């Protein structure tokens, strides 16, 4: 049991509910920006979803539509025999169970008091962390204590190399065995992508000393073992250190794994945990938000930030954060706009070094984006809707078959084109907050301008109306596919081209030499610039002049109305209920669309009255069928002064992962929902922005938040924001 | 979704977890001090534990060891057919589920969005409350709305008379059928106790009007029916009003039930709910505790008070609150010391009218207590450990058979004799707070004195030591049975006799005539009084002179030590783990025992240092195997200034019912744990007491409780206590 102060840093459960098995596996995930491991049990449990993911290790298996992050060999297994009987939660008697995720030091601990069928009672505690200081290291500790009678204990620590991605086998080669007398390894080479990976584990009897031996074991499951007896109230502590290296890292993976374990063993558990916790203390010093007077809201934001931080690469600018982070196989580890518009802002504002890696991930993938543009008959850079290691489009074109065998066409990879502008927006935000002109001139500007070139070639001129249009688009609201003149997309494209002009001017003024090199490299001619100006002037955005509101797309106001207020309570999404085709004709939207536009553009969208008018039309028809919706609504509601509603939306957003309110957390953490909660607080309630390099704060706090404190970085300088209810 | 303010008045769930079925049934119980109904589903669910309990309706079935509260015919059933398919959570598709217990107005609502196998989607909302204004009325409302297509709906409202107490049938006679064209009834007579009960229900099409008909139905399940069609987005609202009357109430139960329904139907749902909510507003005006800065602690105390209030009889001084309240069949509805020392204080201090009923329950059962004393060879009044309607001892003497067939002897009915003193203590507290001398002289004094007479006859004189002793006792710690010289019991008996002397003096001084009549009626002679004085002088209480601590009983310090700190986490109790016999010899105690004594006696126990010394010995060995333990520990810890520890104990106490941390909430609410939370806050953290008719407040609040406000009644006058952290 914890003090309220501790409690606000913890997610915990005091009993084991098999009902919540997969939800808990996801939310208790540990990670360090390199690897992420679901909170499956060391001793195994029927039906658990094991996943061990390392950034960047994608593979496109034969017969699969798209590549996916590979589920690596599982380093977690530790089985414990008590007088010959294997410990497990599904047999014997569980006398007690508790699990605590300590967000502050990013470690997971679990205790079980267990009685075997012959009456011997043992206390078993597990602890694990993925070291933030040494990112290749996953450390585990197990303590076994005999409580009622002397016991013979056998501990078997193994690596399970038989993992698949829900049945898909990704290995061209898999090799395993003892690495030395107290080490085991699994080495693999992926079939299509030819990445090499090594997982190596050592078992150490930390207290007291016991002999460790390798164990003859089934194929792909190398194992180490220790056997000993415990007197009543005597305990034994073992550490299992696991090293994960791949051919994306320096050096031979197996050699590097040995070095990682040598170092870990020499330093020992306490030193490793101390160093890990110290790194986390720095993370939280940069990123924490303190909310006084609302424990649930406080815990929720820390939990959300934890999950973005454990997924954010620290030392690698060629990987990015997938939609479900590294906490599950959902969306196959693919990177969407979720990263740039939902998760990245938190890092841009509090830890720009981490944000920079994610921006660079896109920079390095301009080749893929240019390829996509070219193949579609356009110029410039057209980013893929779903991105992996190569930067090519990896959105599947067809869904998995429905029970009746039908599949439907997935259009997002073809027509959800706003992703290119979303990335440009994020890059500009990064520049605005960091003031890092060198970085922007060298990398950022190219992204903004080359995607603008794409739009210049993509735009459609409507001769009859003398205006520019965009047909066949999917806006944020994915319930309505291939619409014409998405107000979100058209508005953002206009904003994008305006920004591109400003970027061009700035480059010419401040970095003339680089500017000309860049313009010539990407083919930014004066003709193109003139065309942009024309588009900006004549861009069509559907709207209702009389009511003073935007129309989400051509014909939106003619859709069939549906009173969503009557569809409560509801966990299922409206498209799933009504069907993919029928919902195209119904006025229910998946998520913030016009509202998203208001979030991104703020004052530039229009006056408060104008935004309120649009809000009144669009929030009642939002299904929040996407986890990207609630937090954006909270952000906009807070900016409009609708604080109570904003708070309610924020708390519903917090429930997506913590309470599994949408019932799909088993697939992984909703990374965008996590980042979105941060946006709702900092951009929404606190009203933080940067204008002309200066921090602006315009708070609308919920009345019961007595105080709120957080730090931001503007132009590289950390500033503390302290707000109070008054 | 609710504001934090609303949330602190709500217990809710946003999804349906079959894992938590029975836990939820208990915590969402509705009641009104007359009846209590578990939150089972109107439409039924496989394995649900239906219970409908009315205070006082006990029956001792053939072949059973003891009488029990009878599980009455279930008035809740409402089944809904959608195009011929019966709605249920275990089939079709649940698109959404939510349930909210509104503590403020004591109503339970549930919403389900459901799709039948043919694709028709309906929204169904249920609401129910047991009227506090009209205690025979249980009101239900159901609203069905067609969402996707026109539907044929058939609503069947029935009473299910086939209920048993886990297989035990209590009816000598059971009769059922239509009572008129829109009413049905079940009438029953219990087999041994010959109580008559009537459950009568009417179904009303509230909006729009639809025909109601009776339905031919299986035996003991009379039913009413309405069939109609709904267009898309059209809804139909039905009210089911249920009247519960018994032969313990005025009038013929069936006739009275008709009158109750006539009145309910004439007034209608809105008027009934308004009147009910108004009564609850009064309840909360008297009893609420506002804690600012701690939503979990705030919700926990309101939830706890709610459960005591819905179980507290308002108009009946011949019933009392069982250990599991009216929320389940656990402990068969029997009344223990849980009522007097855990639940009653909350009522004594905030709603003395309710407390008075509970005190009178014991007064009216003095005959049973005298019978028990007589049969055991003693004088005066010896209250039963477990009490029902008659006031006789109803503790079973043997446990149910273990899996191997063995039973063990249950000794509490024989030797947990401190119950008589506990009741006297509660009566004196009631007098102290209310200052109601008339009531005390007329009723209370007799309880205090006649139980003192019991002790005068029960006490044992040890000739060799020249001291008074008590052998074969069970103190609060029930892990150690039939011990000699329980320090708790011996100390409380001494305190009881001292109090009895004061009561006698007060009576002689202020109510001389009544005093002499009473003394002669109960046989309180001068000899007896002299004997009391001698006992007080020479009462033996085991202790360790050198260490300055009490010894829980003779030989306690020689028990085998066990490091309870190593037995974590743990849901199971230590006696269950170690065995009933072995634990007798081990130094682990079930619950607060010496600590309970400190709670009850406060300063009279000894100096703060003395109490701290005892605390240091006894809290580490407390198993909290009883739900009566944590809150008492919290209370004492707060008084000793150990505020952080007290807070932790309080929150663990709160988890017993809300989180089902002991895994047994399915049997009913832990009434003593609920009342204990109130004691921990008011007597512990706030340090409230009455000295010489004046309110004393000595707060030690948790640092993060910004403000705390509550009201108490002293001498009939309401006073508001406002505390703040400073």
């Amino acid at each position: 049991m914890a003090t309220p102060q501790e409690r606000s840093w913890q997610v915990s459960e005091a009993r084991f509910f098999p009902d919540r098995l997969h939800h808990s596996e996801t939310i208790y995930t540990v990670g360090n920006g390199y690897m992420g491991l679901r909170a499956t049990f060391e001793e195994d449990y029927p039906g658990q979803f094991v996943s061990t993911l390392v950034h960047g290790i994608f593979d496109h298996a034969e017969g699969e539509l798209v590549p996916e992050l590979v589920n690596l060999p599982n380093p977690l297994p530790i089985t414990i025999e008590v007088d010959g009987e294997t410990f497990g939660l599904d047999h014997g008697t569980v006398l007690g169970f508790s699990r605590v995720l300590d967000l502050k030091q990013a470690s997971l601990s679990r205790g079980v008091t267990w009685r075997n069928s012959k009456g011997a009672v043992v206390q078993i505690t597990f602890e694990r962390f993925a070291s933030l200081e040494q990112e290749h290291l996953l450390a585990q500790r197990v303590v076994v204590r005999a409580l009622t009678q002397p016991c013979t204990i056998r501990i078997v620590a193994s690596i399970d190399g038989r993992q698949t991605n829900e049945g898909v086998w990704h290995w061209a080669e898999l090799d395993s065995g003892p690495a030395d007398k107290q080490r085991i390894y699994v080495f693999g080479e992926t079939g299509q992508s030819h990445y090499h990976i090594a997982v190596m584990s050592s078992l150490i009897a930390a207290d007291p000393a016991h002999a460790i031996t390798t164990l003859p074991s089934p194929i792909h499951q190398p194992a180490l073992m220790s056997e000993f007896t415990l007197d009543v109230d005597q305990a034994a502590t073992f550490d299992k250190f696991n090293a994960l290296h791949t051919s994306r890292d320096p050096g031979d993976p197996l050699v590097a794994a040995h070095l990682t374990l040598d170092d870990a063993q020499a330093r020992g558990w306490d030193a490793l945990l101390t160093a890990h916790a110290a790194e986390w203390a720095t993370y939280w010093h940069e990123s924490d938000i303190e909310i006084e007077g609302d424990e649930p809201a406080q815990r929720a934001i820390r939990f959300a930030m934890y999950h973005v931080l454990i997924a954010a690469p620290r030392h690698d600018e060629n990987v990015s954060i997938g939609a479900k982070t590294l906490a599950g196989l959902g969306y196959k580890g693919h990177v969407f706009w979720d990263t740039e518009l939902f998760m990245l802002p938190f890092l841009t504002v509090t830890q720009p070094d981490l944000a920079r890696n994610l921006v660079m991930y896109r920079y390095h993938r301009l080749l893929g984006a240019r390829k996509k543009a070219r193949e579609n008959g356009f110029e410039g850079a057209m980013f893929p809707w779903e991105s992996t290691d190569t930067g090519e489009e990896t959105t599947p074109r067809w869904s998995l078959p429905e029970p009746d065998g039908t599949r439907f066409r997935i259009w997002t990879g073809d027509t959800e084109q706003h992703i290119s502008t979303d990335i440009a927006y994020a890059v500009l935000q990064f520049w605005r907050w960091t003031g890092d002109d060198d970085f922007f001139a060298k990398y950022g500007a190219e992204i903004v301008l080359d995607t603008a070139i794409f739009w210049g070639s993509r735009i459609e001129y409507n001769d009859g109306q003398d205006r520019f249009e965009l047909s066949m688009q999917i806006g944020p609201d994915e319930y309505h596919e291939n619409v014409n003149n998405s107000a979100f997309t058209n508005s953002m494209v206009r904003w994008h081209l305006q920004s591109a002009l400003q970027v061009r001017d700035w480059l010419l003024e401040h970095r003339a030499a680089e500017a000309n090199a860049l313009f010539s490299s990407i083919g930014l001619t004066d003709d193109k610039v003139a065309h942009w100006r024309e588009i900006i002037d004549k861009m069509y955005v559907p709207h209702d002049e009389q009511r003073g509101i935007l129309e989400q797309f051509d014909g939106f106001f003619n859709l069939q109305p549906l009173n969503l207020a009557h569809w409560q309570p509801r966990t299922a999404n409206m498209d799933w209920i009504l069907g993919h085709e029928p919902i195209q004709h119904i006025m229910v939207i998946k998520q913030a669309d016009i509202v998203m536009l208001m979030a991104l553009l703020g004052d530039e969208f229009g006056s408060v009255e104008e935004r309120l008018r649009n809000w009144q039309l669009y929030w009642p028809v939002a299904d929040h069928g996407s986890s990207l919706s609630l937090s954006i609504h909270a952000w906009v509601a807070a900016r409009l002064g609708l604080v109570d509603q904003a708070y309610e939306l924020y708390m519903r957003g917090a429930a997506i992962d913590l309470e599994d309110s949408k019932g799909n957390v088993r697939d992984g953490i909703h990374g965008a929902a996590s980042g979105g909660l941060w946006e709702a607080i900092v951009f929404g309630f606190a009203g933080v922005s940067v204008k002309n390099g200066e921090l602006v704060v315009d708070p609308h706090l919920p009345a019961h938040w007595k105080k709120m404190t957080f730090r931001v970085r503007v132009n590289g300088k950390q500033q503390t924001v302290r707000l109070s209810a008054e």
Side-chain angles (χ1 to χ4, degrees), chain A:
Chain A
M1 210 68 182
T3 65
Q5 176 56 20
E6 289 164 349
R7 229 162 46 196
S8 71
W9 284 105
Q10 288 181 354
V11 181
S12 66
E13 56 194 5
R15 292 176 62 202
F16 172 56
F17 290 101
D19 253 14
R20 285 180 255 178
L21 181 71
H22 298 134
H23 173 220
S24 291
E25 284 169 7
T26 298
I27 66 172
Y28 295 118
T29 290
V30 297
N32 59 5
Y34 175 84
M35 65 178 91
L37 291 100
R38 288 171 66 79
T40 47
F41 295 138
E42 286 80 353
E43 69 278 12
D44 205 356
Y45 187 84
Q48 68 177 2
F49 291 170
V50 172
S51 92
T52 308
L53 301 177
V54 166
H55 269 312
I57 304 299
F58 285 95
D59 185 70
H60 191 156
E62 189 83 23
E64 294 299 304
L65 290 176
V66 291
E68 63 189 342
L69 265 191
V70 178
N71 191 6
L72 299 187
N74 178 15
L76 294 172
I78 301 175
T79 57
I80 298 162
E81 285 173 31
V82 180
D83 290 336
E85 191 171 335
T86 305
F87 159 69
L89 293 177
D90 59 333
H91 56 265
T93 310
V94 177
L95 304 173
F97 172 95
S98 75
R99 179 151 54 172
V100 179
L101 177 64
D102 180 332
L103 302 169
K104 198 169 195 169
Q105 69 167 21
S107 69
L108 178 66
S109 57
R110 177 166 64 108
V112 184
T113 308
W114 184 76
R115 182 162 70 185
N116 75 5
S117 66
K118 291 160 210 144
V121 181
V122 289
Q123 178 201 44
I124 305 176
T125 58
F126 295 100
E127 201 170 343
R128 72 174 76 150
F129 62 91
S131 172
L132 195 63
E133 176 244 1
Q134 161 50 294
E135 70 181 12
H136 298 282
L137 178 72
L138 170 73
Q140 293 173 275
R141 165 161 278 195
V142 57
V143 183
V144 186
R145 184 186 299 277
L147 290 175
T148 48
Q149 60 199 64
C151 298
T152 302
I153 304 289
R154 194 177 146 107
I155 289 199
V156 177
S158 61
I159 303 170
D160 189 346
R162 299 167 307 163
Q163 304 303 320
T164 65
N165 285 51
E166 297 173 331
V168 175
W169 183 254
H170 281 287
W171 306 106
E173 188 198 331
L174 202 63
D175 177 33
S176 64
D180 70 19
K181 68 186 162 57
Q182 59 179 33
R183 285 187 192 164
I184 48 176
Y185 77 96
V186 173
F187 172 85
E189 181 182 340
T190 57
Q192 166 269 330
S193 53
H194 300 293
Y195 291 117
H196 293 184
I197 64 96
V199 178
M200 190 177 291
S201 305
S202 60
L203 182 67
I204 292 108
D207 179 30
H210 287 297
I212 308 284
T213 55
T214 56
L215 194 71
S217 55
I219 189 160
H220 301 328
Q221 297 171 76
L224 296 162
M225 190 266 283
S226 184
E227 201 161 26
F228 53 91
T229 58
L230 289 178
D231 283 337
V232 172
D233 221 22
Q234 199 190 353
T237 302
F238 285 80
D239 295 328
K240 187 183 182 192
F241 295 131
N242 312 279
L244 281 73
H245 287 262
T246 81
S247 52
R248 296 192 64 258
D249 308 311
D252 176 85
L254 280 170
V255 173
H258 268 298
L259 288 176
T260 296
L261 292 184
D262 290 345
D263 180 66
Q265 289 172 226
R267 292 164 70 196
W269 174 272
D270 290 344
L272 294 168
L273 180 57
T274 303
H276 166 72
E279 292 288 321
W280 272 94
T282 306
Y283 261 25
W284 288 120
H285 179 76
E286 303 282 329
S287 293
D288 189 30
I289 296 176
E290 281 181 82
I291 300 171
E292 207 179 295
D294 192 334
E295 191 186 308
Q298 169 73 82
R299 183 186 301 102
I301 191 59
R302 284 186 174 143
F303 173 78
M305 293 188 288
Y306 167 85
H307 275 289
V308 176
L309 289 172
I310 66 169
R314 303 188 86 188
H315 308 298
D316 192 341
E317 55 182 52
N318 270 297
V319 296
S320 188
I321 308 175
K324 298 286 187 178
T325 73
L326 293 177
L329 300 175
Y331 291 124
K332 300 178 182 299
H334 293 189
V335 178
F336 296 69
W337 71 317
D338 303 45
T339 312
E340 278 73 18
L341 289 193
F342 297 82
M343 296 181 246
L344 185 59
F346 159 51
L347 301 174
T348 293
V349 173
T350 72
Q351 304 217 38
D353 288 346
L354 294 177
R356 189 174 291 112
N357 288 332
L358 300 179
V359 173
M360 286 306 291
Y361 166 81
R362 292 295 190 181
Y363 176 80
H364 291 304
R365 267 142 206 83
L366 276 169
L367 294 183
R370 286 174 189 140
K371 181 181 170 201
K372 184 177 175 185
R374 213 162 46 236
E375 288 177 353
N376 282 272
F378 304 118
E379 298 170 350
M382 180 188 194
F383 278 103
W385 180 246
E386 300 190 22
S387 183
T388 56
D389 48 349
T390 63
E392 293 171 285
E393 180 62 74
T394 52
T395 306
R397 288 179 171 244
W398 293 93
S399 70
L400 290 177
E402 303 286 297
D404 67 357
T406 59
R407 291 168 175 254
F408 60 88
R409 180 72 160 83
I410 297 173
W411 287 105
T412 50
D414 300 76
T415 60
E416 193 150 356
Q417 298 173 357
H418 64 77
I419 176 81
S420 293
T421 283
D422 305 334
I423 291 168
Y425 181 93
V427 168
L428 287 162
Q429 286 288 107
F430 181 81
W431 183 31
R432 190 175 290 187
W433 279 90
T434 59
D436 190 340
D437 294 345
D438 291 343
F439 178 83
F440 184 73
K442 202 161 172 189
Y443 305 110
E446 186 168 342
I447 296 176
V448 176
L449 295 175
D450 214 14
T451 45
I453 290 173
F454 157 68
W455 284 119
S457 72
R458 169 67 188 83
I459 203 77
E460 300 158 24
Y461 180 65
N462 180 327
D463 214 7
Q465 305 279 348
D466 183 26
R467 66 191 188 193
F468 289 94
E469 301 189 355
L470 282 168
S471 65
M472 279 281 282
Q473 293 294 315
I474 304 180
D477 163 28
E478 293 170 338
Y479 286 172
H480 299 95
E481 294 175 336
N482 301 338
V483 301
N484 295 331
N485 293 313
S486 150
F488 174 89
T489 309
N490 290 16
S491 300
M492 287 304 291
V493 166
R494 182 173 55 196
W495 176 92
H496 185 168
L497 296 178
Q498 285 166 332
S499 302
L501 290 179
Q502 288 159 13
V503 166
R504 179 173 170 276
D505 292 347
W506 180 84
L507 283 172
L508 288 171
E509 185 174 349
H510 297 95
R511 311 272 165 146
E514 288 153 271
N516 289 317
L518 174 61
F519 299 165
S520 114
S521 145
I522 62 176
L524 178 54
T525 59
D526 289 349
D527 282 357
K528 284 191 176 126
V529 172
H531 185 49
W532 290 358
R533 292 192 211 280
E534 206 183 352
I535 297 168
I536 292 166
D537 273 358
K538 299 186 176 172
M539 188 77 199
Y540 171 64
V541 177
H543 61 286
D544 179 327
E545 194 81 46
Q546 279 200 312
R547 289 197 280 168
I549 47 177
L550 293 188
E551 183 172 23
Q552 193 180 295
F553 51 79
D554 285 348
F556 182 83
F557 292 148
N558 300 327
L559 295 178
Q560 183 185 324
L562 182 142
N563 189 344
L564 207 52
H566 285 163
W567 287 77
Q568 291 298 335
R570 190 161 43 77
T571 308
N573 284 356
M574 287 307 293
D575 65 332
W576 185 83
I577 296 173
L578 300 178
H580 180 254
E581 208 291 314
I583 205 161
Q584 309 286 333
H585 312 291
I586 297 173
M587 200 187 286
V588 171
I589 66 176
K590 186 175 181 186
Q591 67 200 86
D593 188 298
I594 299 299
V595 170
M596 183 79 202
L597 188 63
M598 291 199 266
L600 295 181
L601 298 187
D603 297 346
E604 296 177 50
F605 179 97
S607 67
V608 170
E609 294 67 32
E610 222 170 322
R611 282 180 278 162
L612 269 171
R613 282 198 302 272
N614 280 281
W615 171 265
Q616 290 303 340
L617 178 80
Y618 285 104
W619 81 258
V621 300
D623 182 26
H624 309 303
S626 161
S627 68
L628 282 58
S629 188
L630 286 161
S631 58
I632 300 300
H633 277 85
W635 167 3
V636 171
R639 294 327 304 144
L640 294 175
L642 308 167
V643 181
D644 288 348
Q645 197 179 358
Y647 178 74
E648 191 214 302
L649 290 158
Y650 170 85
M651 290 305 289
R652 285 173 62 194
I656 293 173
D657 283 317
L658 274 173
E659 308 294 331
D660 198 13
S661 61
K662 300 186 71 66
N664 61 357
V665 176
R666 61 176 175 275
D667 299 333
I669 286 291
H670 297 84
S674 301
L677 288 182
W678 182 92
E679 295 180 306
I681 287 187
V682 174
F683 296 155
F685 294 119
V688 158
S689 62
V690 164
K691 294 234 162 87
N692 309 318
E694 294 292 321
L695 184 69
V696 177
V697 180
D698 174 25
H700 290 295
L701 296 197
H704 65 291
W705 290 9
K706 298 299 169 213
K707 279 187 205 157
M708 181 159 82
T709 309
F710 55 89
R711 297 189 178 83
V712 300
R713 285 196 175 267
V714 183
N715 300 322
K717 211 171 134 277
Q718 194 176 56
Q719 300 186 34
T720 302
V721 178
R722 283 195 187 80
L723 305 172
S724 69
E726 290 87 46

